[in-house]
Amino acid sequence: MAAILKNIATLHEAHLRHASHYLKILREADRNYYLGHDTLEPGLKLFDSEWSNIQEGQAWARDNAGHDEDAASLCINFPYWGAHILDLRIGPRERICWLEAALTTAHRLNNRDAESRSLNDLGLAYWQLGEIPTAIEFFEKALAVEQQDGDRRGEMHTLINLGNAYSLSGAQHRAIEFSKSGLRIAREMGYRRSEALALGNLGLCYRQIGDVEHALELHEESLVISQETGDRRGEANALGNIGIALTMLGSVKKGIEFHQHQLSIARELRDRQAEAIAVTNLGAAYLRLGDYAKAAEFYEPLIVTARKTEDRVGEAAALNNLGIAFRYLGKFDKALECHQEYLTLVQQIGDRHGEGNALSGIGLVHQDKREFQRALEDFEKALGIYQETDDPQAKGTTLGNLGNVYYLQGDFHSATDHHHQHLEIARAVGDKLGQANALWNISMVLDALGQRASAIGRAEEALRIYKEIESSHQARVSERLSQWRSRDELL
């Protein structure tokens, strides 16, 4: 019996040494990756070469944490010491398993610091899965622990994460409050990477409420800090956000350059999620240019990949944009299928802004199929959501969509009213494409009312903007202007 017990103790000691060693390896790899610059690539290589041993060590610590104090300590530290590189290398479901084990152990040991860290990281994992309400619950639990214990560093991280989560759920002003609070602490404590993250989140919020130029400034600040600190993943995010803002402001080709740089970094890091985001952004830019076939080429394989990796947020974005591409290509049934799948998905993950986008997409397909009453109902629902989530640019676009349906029905008074509302909002938020679209739509209504000279004036204003932002719509407007002028000369 003594020999058996001795063998068990020896085996236990061997497992403990193994798990302890590979926890240190994980910590070294994570630290090298986090420091960036020259140490980033060695950190990734070290992690990839020892991944199976790291997994084995964590599994032993998890299985023995309930009855062994040394194993319990290791179980808590595995997800914490590898937080940055694990987020890059493994999916959210696997991270949740590690974090749930750490949280259970932290509760048992009354380790408040480990508890708040685990809660916060669980929120991040659920956010990546697109389960935003669940993510917010974890973040709020973490924040309560951190504020009670005076953990300013933990509070900073959680405030920034709450800002990101609330932004996705459509509560932009609340998201701004959280992000600003996190930014303030980051600057007070000198945490530059957290400062960059908070700036990026704020940029997303301001973009959603229509202040795209301010958003661009914030993303540019975030990019500078990410480059200074060697945070390549943060750099890729900032590049993508700058590209989106430039595209929205009309500099589509310049935006594409930023997205291509973003994609090259994502591939350098072998970061599948970042690569999917970059491809989504590139496809959206080509949609803006009017190259719908090329955009569809980006999105169809992206949906397959997103489903394999359980990236529900990425899947939702790809479905929406693919639906837009199919609609412009005249494939209305496929477009409707994409938008309806998108609607179901965003309703499941609690993305109210996405729900508005889905309804708008469905409405546009119904409009093209001349199902006008259904289109009006879809647009009115979308408009209500955009008013609720305080998204003026989307609100303006939807007012324009409603105006187009009224025009097609021959209700020129209602059409004019809605297009003027769209134009006013687009000018207020600096949406150049929205301004051009509203002016063009107004010109079409004026022509239908027999006011050809006024119609030509508005169309010329629209054409100037379309040329400035290199929009594919300029050819169609130029052709119509030529027709109108020719008819006027004949008269």
mmCIF file with all atom_site columns, all heavy atoms in Angstrom, residues 13-33:
data_model
loop_
_atom_site.group_PDB
_atom_site.id
_atom_site.type_symbol
_atom_site.label_atom_id
_atom_site.label_alt_id
_atom_site.label_comp_id
_atom_site.label_asym_id
_atom_site.label_entity_id
_atom_site.label_seq_id
_atom_site.pdbx_PDB_ins_code
_atom_site.Cartn_x
_atom_site.Cartn_y
_atom_site.Cartn_z
_atom_site.occupancy
_atom_site.B_iso_or_equiv
_atom_site.pdbx_formal_charge
_atom_site.auth_seq_id
_atom_site.auth_comp_id
_atom_site.auth_asym_id
_atom_site.auth_atom_id
_atom_site.pdbx_PDB_model_num
ATOM 1   N N   . GLU A 1 13 ? 3.161  14.608 -8.434  1.00 0.00 ? 13 GLU A N   1
ATOM 2   C CA  . GLU A 1 13 ? 4.235  15.601 -8.471  1.00 0.00 ? 13 GLU A CA  1
ATOM 3   C C   . GLU A 1 13 ? 4.704  15.839 -9.913  1.00 0.00 ? 13 GLU A C   1
ATOM 4   O O   . GLU A 1 13 ? 4.996  16.977 -10.305 1.00 0.00 ? 13 GLU A O   1
ATOM 5   C CB  . GLU A 1 13 ? 5.407  15.130 -7.609  1.00 0.00 ? 13 GLU A CB  1
ATOM 6   C CG  . GLU A 1 13 ? 6.527  16.133 -7.462  1.00 0.00 ? 13 GLU A CG  1
ATOM 7   C CD  . GLU A 1 13 ? 6.105  17.415 -6.769  1.00 0.00 ? 13 GLU A CD  1
ATOM 8   O OE1 . GLU A 1 13 ? 5.177  17.358 -5.938  1.00 0.00 ? 13 GLU A OE1 1
ATOM 9   O OE2 . GLU A 1 13 ? 6.705  18.475 -7.064  1.00 0.00 ? 13 GLU A OE2 1
ATOM 10  N N   . ALA A 1 14 ? 4.756  14.764 -10.699 1.00 0.00 ? 14 ALA A N   1
ATOM 11  C CA  . ALA A 1 14 ? 5.175  14.897 -12.099 1.00 0.00 ? 14 ALA A CA  1
ATOM 12  C C   . ALA A 1 14 ? 4.172  15.733 -12.888 1.00 0.00 ? 14 ALA A C   1
ATOM 13  O O   . ALA A 1 14 ? 4.550  16.611 -13.682 1.00 0.00 ? 14 ALA A O   1
ATOM 14  C CB  . ALA A 1 14 ? 5.338  13.514 -12.724 1.00 0.00 ? 14 ALA A CB  1
ATOM 15  N N   . HIS A 1 15 ? 2.884  15.450 -12.672 1.00 0.00 ? 15 HIS A N   1
ATOM 16  C CA  . HIS A 1 15 ? 1.839  16.235 -13.350 1.00 0.00 ? 15 HIS A CA  1
ATOM 17  C C   . HIS A 1 15 ? 1.891  17.696 -12.921 1.00 0.00 ? 15 HIS A C   1
ATOM 18  O O   . HIS A 1 15 ? 1.716  18.604 -13.744 1.00 0.00 ? 15 HIS A O   1
ATOM 19  C CB  . HIS A 1 15 ? 0.457  15.658 -13.042 1.00 0.00 ? 15 HIS A CB  1
ATOM 20  C CG  . HIS A 1 15 ? 0.107  14.451 -13.864 1.00 0.00 ? 15 HIS A CG  1
ATOM 21  N ND1 . HIS A 1 15 ? 0.039  14.484 -15.238 1.00 0.00 ? 15 HIS A ND1 1
ATOM 22  C CD2 . HIS A 1 15 ? -0.202 13.177 -13.501 1.00 0.00 ? 15 HIS A CD2 1
ATOM 23  C CE1 . HIS A 1 15 ? -0.300 13.287 -15.699 1.00 0.00 ? 15 HIS A CE1 1
ATOM 24  N NE2 . HIS A 1 15 ? -0.451 12.469 -14.661 1.00 0.00 ? 15 HIS A NE2 1
ATOM 25  N N   . LEU A 1 16 ? 2.121  17.921 -11.641 1.00 0.00 ? 16 LEU A N   1
ATOM 26  C CA  . LEU A 1 16 ? 2.188  19.284 -11.128 1.00 0.00 ? 16 LEU A CA  1
ATOM 27  C C   . LEU A 1 16 ? 3.357  20.041 -11.753 1.00 0.00 ? 16 LEU A C   1
ATOM 28  O O   . LEU A 1 16 ? 3.211  21.203 -12.174 1.00 0.00 ? 16 LEU A O   1
ATOM 29  C CB  . LEU A 1 16 ? 2.316  19.272 -9.599  1.00 0.00 ? 16 LEU A CB  1
ATOM 30  C CG  . LEU A 1 16 ? 2.462  20.633 -8.916  1.00 0.00 ? 16 LEU A CG  1
ATOM 31  C CD1 . LEU A 1 16 ? 1.248  21.515 -9.208  1.00 0.00 ? 16 LEU A CD1 1
ATOM 32  C CD2 . LEU A 1 16 ? 2.650  20.458 -7.409  1.00 0.00 ? 16 LEU A CD2 1
ATOM 33  N N   . ARG A 1 17 ? 4.516  19.378 -11.832 1.00 0.00 ? 17 ARG A N   1
ATOM 34  C CA  . ARG A 1 17 ? 5.684  20.019 -12.434 1.00 0.00 ? 17 ARG A CA  1
ATOM 35  C C   . ARG A 1 17 ? 5.422  20.330 -13.919 1.00 0.00 ? 17 ARG A C   1
ATOM 36  O O   . ARG A 1 17 ? 5.787  21.392 -14.423 1.00 0.00 ? 17 ARG A O   1
ATOM 37  C CB  . ARG A 1 17 ? 6.926  19.137 -12.303 1.00 0.00 ? 17 ARG A CB  1
ATOM 38  C CG  . ARG A 1 17 ? 7.516  19.093 -10.888 1.00 0.00 ? 17 ARG A CG  1
ATOM 39  C CD  . ARG A 1 17 ? 8.963  18.582 -10.914 1.00 0.00 ? 17 ARG A CD  1
ATOM 40  N NE  . ARG A 1 17 ? 9.089  17.294 -11.577 1.00 0.00 ? 17 ARG A NE  1
ATOM 41  C CZ  . ARG A 1 17 ? 8.954  16.122 -10.966 1.00 0.00 ? 17 ARG A CZ  1
ATOM 42  N NH1 . ARG A 1 17 ? 8.682  16.078 -9.657  1.00 0.00 ? 17 ARG A NH1 1
ATOM 43  N NH2 . ARG A 1 17 ? 9.091  14.991 -11.632 1.00 0.00 ? 17 ARG A NH2 1
ATOM 44  N N   . HIS A 1 18 ? 4.802  19.359 -14.602 1.00 0.00 ? 18 HIS A N   1
ATOM 45  C CA  . HIS A 1 18 ? 4.488  19.531 -16.022 1.00 0.00 ? 18 HIS A CA  1
ATOM 46  C C   . HIS A 1 18 ? 3.550  20.726 -16.219 1.00 0.00 ? 18 HIS A C   1
ATOM 47  O O   . HIS A 1 18 ? 3.802  21.622 -17.057 1.00 0.00 ? 18 HIS A O   1
ATOM 48  C CB  . HIS A 1 18 ? 3.853  18.251 -16.574 1.00 0.00 ? 18 HIS A CB  1
ATOM 49  C CG  . HIS A 1 18 ? 3.437  18.350 -18.023 1.00 0.00 ? 18 HIS A CG  1
ATOM 50  N ND1 . HIS A 1 18 ? 2.231  18.878 -18.414 1.00 0.00 ? 18 HIS A ND1 1
ATOM 51  C CD2 . HIS A 1 18 ? 4.075  17.983 -19.169 1.00 0.00 ? 18 HIS A CD2 1
ATOM 52  C CE1 . HIS A 1 18 ? 2.140  18.827 -19.732 1.00 0.00 ? 18 HIS A CE1 1
ATOM 53  N NE2 . HIS A 1 18 ? 3.246  18.280 -20.210 1.00 0.00 ? 18 HIS A NE2 1
ATOM 54  N N   . ALA A 1 19 ? 2.466  20.771 -15.461 1.00 0.00 ? 19 ALA A N   1
ATOM 55  C CA  . ALA A 1 19 ? 1.494  21.855 -15.605 1.00 0.00 ? 19 ALA A CA  1
ATOM 56  C C   . ALA A 1 19 ? 2.118  23.197 -15.239 1.00 0.00 ? 19 ALA A C   1
ATOM 57  O O   . ALA A 1 19 ? 1.893  24.208 -15.923 1.00 0.00 ? 19 ALA A O   1
ATOM 58  C CB  . ALA A 1 19 ? 0.271  21.586 -14.730 1.00 0.00 ? 19 ALA A CB  1
ATOM 59  N N   . SER A 1 20 ? 2.925  23.222 -14.178 1.00 0.00 ? 20 SER A N   1
ATOM 60  C CA  . SER A 1 20 ? 3.581  24.465 -13.758 1.00 0.00 ? 20 SER A CA  1
ATOM 61  C C   . SER A 1 20 ? 4.542  24.969 -14.830 1.00 0.00 ? 20 SER A C   1
ATOM 62  O O   . SER A 1 20 ? 4.604  26.173 -15.117 1.00 0.00 ? 20 SER A O   1
ATOM 63  C CB  . SER A 1 20 ? 4.340  24.249 -12.441 1.00 0.00 ? 20 SER A CB  1
ATOM 64  O OG  . SER A 1 20 ? 3.467  23.855 -11.410 1.00 0.00 ? 20 SER A OG  1
ATOM 65  N N   . HIS A 1 21 ? 5.283  24.038 -15.414 1.00 0.00 ? 21 HIS A N   1
ATOM 66  C CA  . HIS A 1 21 ? 6.255  24.418 -16.444 1.00 0.00 ? 21 HIS A CA  1
ATOM 67  C C   . HIS A 1 21 ? 5.555  25.026 -17.652 1.00 0.00 ? 21 HIS A C   1
ATOM 68  O O   . HIS A 1 21 ? 5.971  26.086 -18.155 1.00 0.00 ? 21 HIS A O   1
ATOM 69  C CB  . HIS A 1 21 ? 7.073  23.197 -16.870 1.00 0.00 ? 21 HIS A CB  1
ATOM 70  C CG  . HIS A 1 21 ? 7.994  23.468 -18.018 1.00 0.00 ? 21 HIS A CG  1
ATOM 71  N ND1 . HIS A 1 21 ? 9.154  24.208 -17.885 1.00 0.00 ? 21 HIS A ND1 1
ATOM 72  C CD2 . HIS A 1 21 ? 7.919  23.102 -19.337 1.00 0.00 ? 21 HIS A CD2 1
ATOM 73  C CE1 . HIS A 1 21 ? 9.750  24.293 -19.057 1.00 0.00 ? 21 HIS A CE1 1
ATOM 74  N NE2 . HIS A 1 21 ? 9.030  23.631 -19.959 1.00 0.00 ? 21 HIS A NE2 1
ATOM 75  N N   . TYR A 1 22 ? 4.482  24.382 -18.107 1.00 0.00 ? 22 TYR A N   1
ATOM 76  C CA  . TYR A 1 22 ? 3.845  24.872 -19.331 1.00 0.00 ? 22 TYR A CA  1
ATOM 77  C C   . TYR A 1 22 ? 2.953  26.082 -19.073 1.00 0.00 ? 22 TYR A C   1
ATOM 78  O O   . TYR A 1 22 ? 2.642  26.842 -20.004 1.00 0.00 ? 22 TYR A O   1
ATOM 79  C CB  . TYR A 1 22 ? 3.116  23.732 -20.039 1.00 0.00 ? 22 TYR A CB  1
ATOM 80  C CG  . TYR A 1 22 ? 4.136  22.852 -20.736 1.00 0.00 ? 22 TYR A CG  1
ATOM 81  C CD1 . TYR A 1 22 ? 4.502  21.625 -20.207 1.00 0.00 ? 22 TYR A CD1 1
ATOM 82  C CD2 . TYR A 1 22 ? 4.791  23.309 -21.875 1.00 0.00 ? 22 TYR A CD2 1
ATOM 83  C CE1 . TYR A 1 22 ? 5.480  20.848 -20.809 1.00 0.00 ? 22 TYR A CE1 1
ATOM 84  C CE2 . TYR A 1 22 ? 5.772  22.544 -22.490 1.00 0.00 ? 22 TYR A CE2 1
ATOM 85  C CZ  . TYR A 1 22 ? 6.112  21.327 -21.956 1.00 0.00 ? 22 TYR A CZ  1
ATOM 86  O OH  . TYR A 1 22 ? 7.099  20.582 -22.556 1.00 0.00 ? 22 TYR A OH  1
ATOM 87  N N   . LEU A 1 23 ? 2.577  26.305 -17.821 1.00 0.00 ? 23 LEU A N   1
ATOM 88  C CA  . LEU A 1 23 ? 1.948  27.578 -17.488 1.00 0.00 ? 23 LEU A CA  1
ATOM 89  C C   . LEU A 1 23 ? 2.966  28.711 -17.642 1.00 0.00 ? 23 LEU A C   1
ATOM 90  O O   . LEU A 1 23 ? 2.651  29.784 -18.160 1.00 0.00 ? 23 LEU A O   1
ATOM 91  C CB  . LEU A 1 23 ? 1.396  27.554 -16.061 1.00 0.00 ? 23 LEU A CB  1
ATOM 92  C CG  . LEU A 1 23 ? 0.808  28.879 -15.553 1.00 0.00 ? 23 LEU A CG  1
ATOM 93  C CD1 . LEU A 1 23 ? -0.321 29.365 -16.455 1.00 0.00 ? 23 LEU A CD1 1
ATOM 94  C CD2 . LEU A 1 23 ? 0.311  28.729 -14.115 1.00 0.00 ? 23 LEU A CD2 1
ATOM 95  N N   . LYS A 1 24 ? 4.202  28.460 -17.220 1.00 0.00 ? 24 LYS A N   1
ATOM 96  C CA  . LYS A 1 24 ? 5.266  29.462 -17.389 1.00 0.00 ? 24 LYS A CA  1
ATOM 97  C C   . LYS A 1 24 ? 5.574  29.696 -18.868 1.00 0.00 ? 24 LYS A C   1
ATOM 98  O O   . LYS A 1 24 ? 5.823  30.828 -19.289 1.00 0.00 ? 24 LYS A O   1
ATOM 99  C CB  . LYS A 1 24 ? 6.523  29.011 -16.645 1.00 0.00 ? 24 LYS A CB  1
ATOM 100 C CG  . LYS A 1 24 ? 6.379  29.031 -15.123 1.00 0.00 ? 24 LYS A CG  1
ATOM 101 C CD  . LYS A 1 24 ? 7.629  28.473 -14.452 1.00 0.00 ? 24 LYS A CD  1
ATOM 102 C CE  . LYS A 1 24 ? 7.443  28.422 -12.936 1.00 0.00 ? 24 LYS A CE  1
ATOM 103 N NZ  . LYS A 1 24 ? 8.617  27.798 -12.261 1.00 0.00 ? 24 LYS A NZ  1
ATOM 104 N N   . ILE A 1 25 ? 5.544  28.617 -19.656 1.00 0.00 ? 25 ILE A N   1
ATOM 105 C CA  . ILE A 1 25 ? 5.750  28.751 -21.098 1.00 0.00 ? 25 ILE A CA  1
ATOM 106 C C   . ILE A 1 25 ? 4.646  29.616 -21.705 1.00 0.00 ? 25 ILE A C   1
ATOM 107 O O   . ILE A 1 25 ? 4.903  30.511 -22.532 1.00 0.00 ? 25 ILE A O   1
ATOM 108 C CB  . ILE A 1 25 ? 5.775  27.371 -21.782 1.00 0.00 ? 25 ILE A CB  1
ATOM 109 C CG1 . ILE A 1 25 ? 7.016  26.581 -21.348 1.00 0.00 ? 25 ILE A CG1 1
ATOM 110 C CG2 . ILE A 1 25 ? 5.711  27.508 -23.302 1.00 0.00 ? 25 ILE A CG2 1
ATOM 111 C CD1 . ILE A 1 25 ? 8.328  27.129 -21.872 1.00 0.00 ? 25 ILE A CD1 1
ATOM 112 N N   . LEU A 1 26 ? 3.406  29.355 -21.276 1.00 0.00 ? 26 LEU A N   1
ATOM 113 C CA  . LEU A 1 26 ? 2.271  30.143 -21.762 1.00 0.00 ? 26 LEU A CA  1
ATOM 114 C C   . LEU A 1 26 ? 2.458  31.614 -21.390 1.00 0.00 ? 26 LEU A C   1
ATOM 115 O O   . LEU A 1 26 ? 2.217  32.510 -22.212 1.00 0.00 ? 26 LEU A O   1
ATOM 116 C CB  . LEU A 1 26 ? 0.968  29.606 -21.172 1.00 0.00 ? 26 LEU A CB  1
ATOM 117 C CG  . LEU A 1 26 ? -0.305 30.419 -21.462 1.00 0.00 ? 26 LEU A CG  1
ATOM 118 C CD1 . LEU A 1 26 ? -0.573 30.497 -22.968 1.00 0.00 ? 26 LEU A CD1 1
ATOM 119 C CD2 . LEU A 1 26 ? -1.510 29.809 -20.731 1.00 0.00 ? 26 LEU A CD2 1
ATOM 120 N N   . ARG A 1 27 ? 2.892  31.844 -20.154 1.00 0.00 ? 27 ARG A N   1
ATOM 121 C CA  . ARG A 1 27 ? 3.080  33.225 -19.703 1.00 0.00 ? 27 ARG A CA  1
ATOM 122 C C   . ARG A 1 27 ? 4.166  33.931 -20.521 1.00 0.00 ? 27 ARG A C   1
ATOM 123 O O   . ARG A 1 27 ? 4.015  35.101 -20.899 1.00 0.00 ? 27 ARG A O   1
ATOM 124 C CB  . ARG A 1 27 ? 3.452  33.238 -18.222 1.00 0.00 ? 27 ARG A CB  1
ATOM 125 C CG  . ARG A 1 27 ? 3.488  34.635 -17.618 1.00 0.00 ? 27 ARG A CG  1
ATOM 126 C CD  . ARG A 1 27 ? 3.778  34.581 -16.139 1.00 0.00 ? 27 ARG A CD  1
ATOM 127 N NE  . ARG A 1 27 ? 3.422  35.808 -15.480 1.00 0.00 ? 27 ARG A NE  1
ATOM 128 C CZ  . ARG A 1 27 ? 3.545  36.020 -14.176 1.00 0.00 ? 27 ARG A CZ  1
ATOM 129 N NH1 . ARG A 1 27 ? 4.003  35.042 -13.391 1.00 0.00 ? 27 ARG A NH1 1
ATOM 130 N NH2 . ARG A 1 27 ? 3.198  37.175 -13.643 1.00 0.00 ? 27 ARG A NH2 1
ATOM 131 N N   . GLU A 1 28 ? 5.241  33.213 -20.812 1.00 0.00 ? 28 GLU A N   1
ATOM 132 C CA  . GLU A 1 28 ? 6.324  33.790 -21.603 1.00 0.00 ? 28 GLU A CA  1
ATOM 133 C C   . GLU A 1 28 ? 5.850  34.116 -23.018 1.00 0.00 ? 28 GLU A C   1
ATOM 134 O O   . GLU A 1 28 ? 6.136  35.193 -23.557 1.00 0.00 ? 28 GLU A O   1
ATOM 135 C CB  . GLU A 1 28 ? 7.510  32.823 -21.664 1.00 0.00 ? 28 GLU A CB  1
ATOM 136 C CG  . GLU A 1 28 ? 8.684  33.348 -22.472 1.00 0.00 ? 28 GLU A CG  1
ATOM 137 C CD  . GLU A 1 28 ? 9.814  32.344 -22.595 1.00 0.00 ? 28 GLU A CD  1
ATOM 138 O OE1 . GLU A 1 28 ? 9.755  31.283 -21.919 1.00 0.00 ? 28 GLU A OE1 1
ATOM 139 O OE2 . GLU A 1 28 ? 10.743 32.592 -23.388 1.00 0.00 ? 28 GLU A OE2 1
ATOM 140 N N   . ALA A 1 29 ? 5.106  33.183 -23.625 1.00 0.00 ? 29 ALA A N   1
ATOM 141 C CA  . ALA A 1 29 ? 4.602  33.404 -24.983 1.00 0.00 ? 29 ALA A CA  1
ATOM 142 C C   . ALA A 1 29 ? 3.642  34.591 -25.006 1.00 0.00 ? 29 ALA A C   1
ATOM 143 O O   . ALA A 1 29 ? 3.704  35.442 -25.910 1.00 0.00 ? 29 ALA A O   1
ATOM 144 C CB  . ALA A 1 29 ? 3.899  32.145 -25.492 1.00 0.00 ? 29 ALA A CB  1
ATOM 145 N N   . ASP A 1 30 ? 2.772  34.652 -24.005 1.00 0.00 ? 30 ASP A N   1
ATOM 146 C CA  . ASP A 1 30 ? 1.788  35.730 -23.938 1.00 0.00 ? 30 ASP A CA  1
ATOM 147 C C   . ASP A 1 30 ? 2.475  37.085 -23.750 1.00 0.00 ? 30 ASP A C   1
ATOM 148 O O   . ASP A 1 30 ? 2.118  38.071 -24.395 1.00 0.00 ? 30 ASP A O   1
ATOM 149 C CB  . ASP A 1 30 ? 0.813  35.469 -22.795 1.00 0.00 ? 30 ASP A CB  1
ATOM 150 C CG  . ASP A 1 30 ? -0.360 36.435 -22.802 1.00 0.00 ? 30 ASP A CG  1
ATOM 151 O OD1 . ASP A 1 30 ? -1.257 36.244 -23.651 1.00 0.00 ? 30 ASP A OD1 1
ATOM 152 O OD2 . ASP A 1 30 ? -0.378 37.375 -21.978 1.00 0.00 ? 30 ASP A OD2 1
ATOM 153 N N   . ARG A 1 31 ? 3.474  37.110 -22.879 1.00 0.00 ? 31 ARG A N   1
ATOM 154 C CA  . ARG A 1 31 ? 4.192  38.363 -22.612 1.00 0.00 ? 31 ARG A CA  1
ATOM 155 C C   . ARG A 1 31 ? 4.921  38.841 -23.874 1.00 0.00 ? 31 ARG A C   1
ATOM 156 O O   . ARG A 1 31 ? 4.878  40.024 -24.209 1.00 0.00 ? 31 ARG A O   1
ATOM 157 C CB  . ARG A 1 31 ? 5.198  38.169 -21.466 1.00 0.00 ? 31 ARG A CB  1
ATOM 158 C CG  . ARG A 1 31 ? 5.955  39.435 -21.086 1.00 0.00 ? 31 ARG A CG  1
ATOM 159 C CD  . ARG A 1 31 ? 6.850  39.175 -19.871 1.00 0.00 ? 31 ARG A CD  1
ATOM 160 N NE  . ARG A 1 31 ? 7.554  40.388 -19.491 1.00 0.00 ? 31 ARG A NE  1
ATOM 161 C CZ  . ARG A 1 31 ? 8.697  40.795 -20.030 1.00 0.00 ? 31 ARG A CZ  1
ATOM 162 N NH1 . ARG A 1 31 ? 9.276  40.068 -20.978 1.00 0.00 ? 31 ARG A NH1 1
ATOM 163 N NH2 . ARG A 1 31 ? 9.275  41.923 -19.620 1.00 0.00 ? 31 ARG A NH2 1
ATOM 164 N N   . ASN A 1 32 ? 5.572  37.923 -24.571 1.00 0.00 ? 32 ASN A N   1
ATOM 165 C CA  . ASN A 1 32 ? 6.284  38.297 -25.789 1.00 0.00 ? 32 ASN A CA  1
ATOM 166 C C   . ASN A 1 32 ? 5.320  38.825 -26.858 1.00 0.00 ? 32 ASN A C   1
ATOM 167 O O   . ASN A 1 32 ? 5.607  39.807 -27.546 1.00 0.00 ? 32 ASN A O   1
ATOM 168 C CB  . ASN A 1 32 ? 7.067  37.109 -26.344 1.00 0.00 ? 32 ASN A CB  1
ATOM 169 C CG  . ASN A 1 32 ? 8.316  36.818 -25.539 1.00 0.00 ? 32 ASN A CG  1
ATOM 170 O OD1 . ASN A 1 32 ? 8.817  37.686 -24.831 1.00 0.00 ? 32 ASN A OD1 1
ATOM 171 N ND2 . ASN A 1 32 ? 8.818  35.597 -25.628 1.00 0.00 ? 32 ASN A ND2 1
ATOM 172 N N   . TYR A 1 33 ? 4.188  38.143 -26.997 1.00 0.00 ? 33 TYR A N   1
ATOM 173 C CA  . TYR A 1 33 ? 3.187  38.599 -27.962 1.00 0.00 ? 33 TYR A CA  1
ATOM 174 C C   . TYR A 1 33 ? 2.667  39.979 -27.573 1.00 0.00 ? 33 TYR A C   1
ATOM 175 O O   . TYR A 1 33 ? 2.548  40.882 -28.406 1.00 0.00 ? 33 TYR A O   1
ATOM 176 C CB  . TYR A 1 33 ? 2.031  37.600 -28.041 1.00 0.00 ? 33 TYR A CB  1
ATOM 177 C CG  . TYR A 1 33 ? 0.823  38.166 -28.742 1.00 0.00 ? 33 TYR A CG  1
ATOM 178 C CD1 . TYR A 1 33 ? 0.846  38.411 -30.110 1.00 0.00 ? 33 TYR A CD1 1
ATOM 179 C CD2 . TYR A 1 33 ? -0.330 38.489 -28.024 1.00 0.00 ? 33 TYR A CD2 1
ATOM 180 C CE1 . TYR A 1 33 ? -0.255 38.959 -30.752 1.00 0.00 ? 33 TYR A CE1 1
ATOM 181 C CE2 . TYR A 1 33 ? -1.430 39.041 -28.659 1.00 0.00 ? 33 TYR A CE2 1
ATOM 182 C CZ  . TYR A 1 33 ? -1.388 39.270 -30.023 1.00 0.00 ? 33 TYR A CZ  1
ATOM 183 O OH  . TYR A 1 33 ? -2.478 39.832 -30.651 1.00 0.00 ? 33 TYR A OH  1
#
